[in-house]
């Protein structure tokens, strides 16, 4: 309770107390930075613009070959 989880193919890959750290670790566990992929981040109302920006900077610097998109719900 009170933790964030990262899921891939119905399997919990990550469980942390910080939502941005959870997102980073989940993406790291399912994405190879040496390959071209598409990363789409879906975020809800509880995610601030600053948190989205932190994650965007992380993704752009660690996954330069990937196409990155954000969808706010």
């Amino acid at each position: 309770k009170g933790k964030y989880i990262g899921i891939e193919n119905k399997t919990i890959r990550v469980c942390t107390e910080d939502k941005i750290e959870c997102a980073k670790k989940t993406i790291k566990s399912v994405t190879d930075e040496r390959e071209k992929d598409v990363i789409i981040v879906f975020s809800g109302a509880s995610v601030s613009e600053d948190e989205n920006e932190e994650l965007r900077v992380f993704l752009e610097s660690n996954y330069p070959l990937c196409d990155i998109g954000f969808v706010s719900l």
Side-chain angles (χ1 to χ4, degrees):
K1 186 172 182 168
K3 295 192 179 191
Y4 297 90
I5 58 172
I7 301 171
E8 178 200 17
N9 294 327
K10 300 180 183 178
T11 301
I12 295 174
R13 298 285 182 199
V14 177
C15 181
T16 68
E17 293 183 10
D18 180 77
K19 60 186 158 195
I20 300 303
E21 191 63 29
C22 183
K24 290 177 181 179
K25 287 182 176 185
T26 301
I27 293 166
K28 196 175 217 177
S29 77
V30 299
T31 306
D32 185 345
E33 68 273 0
R34 296 166 296 174
E35 293 189 20
K36 181 146 179 74
D37 276 320
V38 175
I39 300 172
I40 301 173
V41 178
F42 293 89
S43 58
S46 68
V47 179
S48 70
E49 287 183 32
D50 288 343
E51 290 170 321
N52 271 337
E53 185 59 25
E54 178 185 343
L55 189 53
R56 181 185 308 279
V57 168
F58 169 80
L59 293 173
E60 288 174 350
S61 63
N62 289 283
Y63 301 94
L65 299 177
C66 294
D67 293 325
I68 300 164
F70 281 77
V71 177
S72 295
L73 305 173

